[in-house]
Amino acid sequence: MAVPLALAGCGAKGGNQTEGTSPEASTASSDPIKLTLWGAVPSENGPQEVVDNWNKQNPDIQVEYVRFVNDDAGNLKLDTALISSQPVDMYVNYDFSLYEKRIKAGNALDLSKFSDYNVDDKMGEGAALWKVDDKYYGLPTQKGLSFVWLNKDMLDAKGLPIPTEWGLDEFRDYAAQLKSDKVWGLAQSDYYFNVPINGSLQKQSLQLTKADGTSAFDNPLTVKTLQVYFDMMFTDKSLMPHTEQITSKPALDQMFVKGETAMLFSTNQIFRTTNNVQEFPRTFKVAAAPAPKVNKDQSDYINAGGLGDVISINPSTKHQEAAWKFIQWYADGGMLPMAAGGRVPSSKDFPVDEAVALMFKGVEDTYDLDSIKRVMFGDLPLGLSRLDRKTGTEQQAVYDKAFTQKLTPEEAAKELARIHNDNLKALSK
């Protein structure tokens, strides 16, 4: 049973029900409870079907989906709505720093008031990374991780097996062997330069700091990562030079499905492109490999991503119990339409076989399903970096300098640490 809410929801902001009414009163008078769910996924990519399914099954609780874009402007729009009279009953968090900020501002409900759902048991150990002061203020609903997409036909032509575990040396070697005059060995966006670095630091600290509280970025693993990418661009010429990528702004997912790159370091987001064989026809099979560690034999490496799509309840909604009922339904099965876009459910009670069937419906023969399942549904150790957003943004300029040959890998590692330390000092004041 859920905790009664006789005393809940006294504020004026956020909810959209008449002051003084309760879920029970609304149901009794045949007026359905109306809830809004704010999320960043385009409605046509699953959310609208989700809420339509719920609304058909629950005439007494009707949900409306409101989309915001997951960028600075979009998150500002959501945060403004949370502190104003705009209706926001539930919303999805995609970034830990913003999630924590909303908690501290009093805009996320402490879910410990509900006793009918064991988050740790349902979602596994990765869920605890979303705890703040040892409490959940949102329910993580999907597994989001970075991994490498592979053109299996190109691998087969070179006699290369699908990697199940590898480091940057092997990653570089694959890219060098797979490149040709018209095909890059690897394509990736700027974001993925830091994936091996962060994955090597998270075991000791989610804030990516050393035991003394200072930045951990200035270390041999960071230097090696930068050196390998530098060599791939300028020695092997297997990865598009950074300057060229900034200038041409290629659509990397389309490069991959067109056979212009043999490997693509990305996430499950490109399912929307790889599954769209009508607009982007391809003849090759797609396989998947885990993100490379810096060194293959690292035992403390944590894969970037972890659990995400964390749904919080606005404390000011007058229908906390109804919102909680929807969120549980969503996590344990209701989010099934989201699977077609590659969103991997995190709840152990989710019908995985149905999710897989939806992900590959009609295109099953164009994937190496064993490798995809191994990466997306396997037991890879997943982490969640708590690097502050300002540091992450400012560090991007360092990667720009490193890969335009203005800084050596050693100098770049020191600069990454300097920026981080400056922000750590500012945050501690």
Side-chain angles (χ1 to χ4, degrees):
M1 293 293 291
V3 176
L5 296 178
L7 301 178
C10 299
K13 63 176 181 176
N16 54 8
Q17 186 70 22
T18 305
E19 184 72 39
T21 61
S22 66
E24 293 78 13
S26 296
T27 303
S29 64
S30 299
D31 292 330
I33 293 170
K34 294 181 180 180
L35 299 173
T36 55
L37 168 66
W38 286 52
V41 179
S43 59
E44 65 271 18
N45 290 332
Q48 192 59 52
E49 186 177 349
V50 169
V51 298
D52 286 346
N53 290 343
W54 166 271
N55 290 340
K56 289 175 185 175
Q57 298 171 31
N58 299 272
D60 57 327
I61 304 172
Q62 295 290 284
V63 176
E64 176 189 359
Y65 183 71
V66 178
R67 197 212 171 187
F68 70 95
V69 179
N70 186 28
D71 59 12
D72 289 343
N75 280 291
L76 178 60
K77 178 181 177 181
L78 170 58
D79 290 333
T80 301
L82 284 167
I83 61 174
S84 69
S85 59
Q86 297 180 63
V88 185
D89 298 289
M90 302 168 285
Y91 59 92
V92 187
N93 299 277
Y94 303 93
D95 175 271
F96 182 84
S97 62
L98 290 174
Y99 166 75
E100 186 176 38
K101 179 182 176 183
R102 288 160 185 157
I103 293 170
K104 290 180 177 179
N107 292 325
L109 184 69
D110 174 5
L111 299 183
S112 63
K113 69 179 299 173
F114 302 114
S115 60
D116 56 347
Y117 197 94
N118 188 317
V119 180
D120 296 301
D121 180 57
K122 288 269 192 174
M123 304 304 178
E125 61 178 334
L129 297 174
W130 288 94
K131 283 185 175 180
V132 174
D133 297 330
D134 205 34
K135 294 179 180 179
Y136 286 109
Y137 290 84
L139 187 63
T141 60
Q142 74 116 1
K143 291 169 65 176
L145 66 159
S146 303
F147 54 95
V148 181
W149 298 84
L150 307 164
N151 183 318
K152 187 174 183 298
D153 291 19
M154 291 185 183
L155 264 67
D156 291 345
K158 295 289 185 178
L160 296 171
I162 300 170
T164 56
E165 187 175 21
W166 54 352
L168 286 176
D169 292 330
E170 293 78 18
F171 188 52
R172 176 186 176 186
D173 180 58
Y174 265 61
Q177 291 192 59
L178 291 166
K179 72 161 190 170
S180 68
D181 291 342
K182 295 183 179 180
V183 178
W184 293 103
L186 168 70
Q188 66 176 62
S189 70
D190 294 355
Y191 168 81
Y192 297 94
F193 292 133
N194 68 19
V195 169
I197 297 171
N198 291 5
S200 299
L201 305 181
Q202 286 184 75
K203 187 75 172 181
Q204 59 186 5
S205 166
L206 296 177
Q207 288 77 25
L208 311 185
T209 54
K210 294 182 287 192
D212 63 2
T214 61
S215 177
F217 279 97
D218 186 5
N219 72 80
L221 295 175
T222 301
V223 175
K224 177 174 179 176
T225 300
L226 297 171
Q227 185 66 59
V228 168
Y229 278 120
F230 185 94
D231 291 340
M232 291 174 76
M233 290 181 194
F234 302 110
T235 301
D236 304 344
K237 302 187 188 310
S238 60
L239 173 62
M240 184 183 295
H242 191 59
T243 303
E244 183 179 338
Q245 184 161 324
I246 291 173
T247 303
S248 61
K249 294 182 172 58
L252 301 182
D253 56 342
Q254 293 182 31
M255 281 180 62
F256 179 67
V257 294
K258 290 177 180 178
E260 296 172 0
T261 180
M263 302 191 296
L264 176 64
F265 202 163
S266 189
T267 67
N268 50 9
Q269 292 177 344
I270 75 155
F271 262 115
R272 299 173 193 173
T273 304
T274 55
N275 279 353
N276 188 357
V277 292
Q278 288 73 35
E279 189 173 353
F280 304 109
R282 57 182 170 83
T283 58
F284 66 89
K285 277 198 172 185
V286 175
K293 305 174 183 178
V294 179
N295 296 314
K296 184 178 179 180
D297 60 357
Q298 276 180 268
S299 60
D300 59 353
Y301 186 84
I302 297 178
N303 292 269
L307 304 188
D309 284 17
V310 179
I311 307 182
S312 294
I313 297 173
N314 184 350
S316 295
T317 179
K318 297 176 179 62
H319 305 298
Q320 295 178 4
E321 191 172 56
W324 179 236
K325 180 180 178 182
F326 171 82
I327 293 172
Q328 291 179 83
W329 169 87
Y330 177 95
D332 286 346
M335 66 175 285
L336 189 61
M338 306 288 284
R343 284 183 129 71
V344 181
S346 51
S347 171
K348 70 174 187 179
D349 289 345
F350 200 94
V352 172
D353 290 342
E354 290 182 47
V356 172
L358 264 183
M359 284 180 185
F360 305 106
K361 187 177 182 179
V363 291
E364 300 91 342
D365 295 340
T366 70
Y367 288 92
D368 180 84
L369 291 180
D370 288 341
S371 67
I372 299 281
K373 290 178 182 178
R374 184 167 57 243
V375 171
M376 297 187 72
F377 295 95
D379 295 323
L380 293 173
L382 300 178
L384 177 70
S385 167
R386 291 188 180 177
L387 183 71
D388 67 279
R389 196 176 183 88
K390 187 171 184 286
T391 295
T393 299
E394 292 178 350
Q395 284 182 337
Q396 189 56 53
V398 180
Y399 294 116
D400 291 342
K401 291 178 181 178
F403 299 127
T404 53
Q405 305 183 66
K406 295 175 182 175
L407 291 176
T408 66
E410 292 80 3
E411 291 169 339
K414 287 182 170 62
E415 184 64 4
L416 290 171
R418 184 196 65 77
I419 289 170
H420 191 200
N421 279 324
D422 285 349
N423 285 321
L424 287 170
K425 290 176 184 176
L427 289 168
S428 66
K429 291 180 180 178

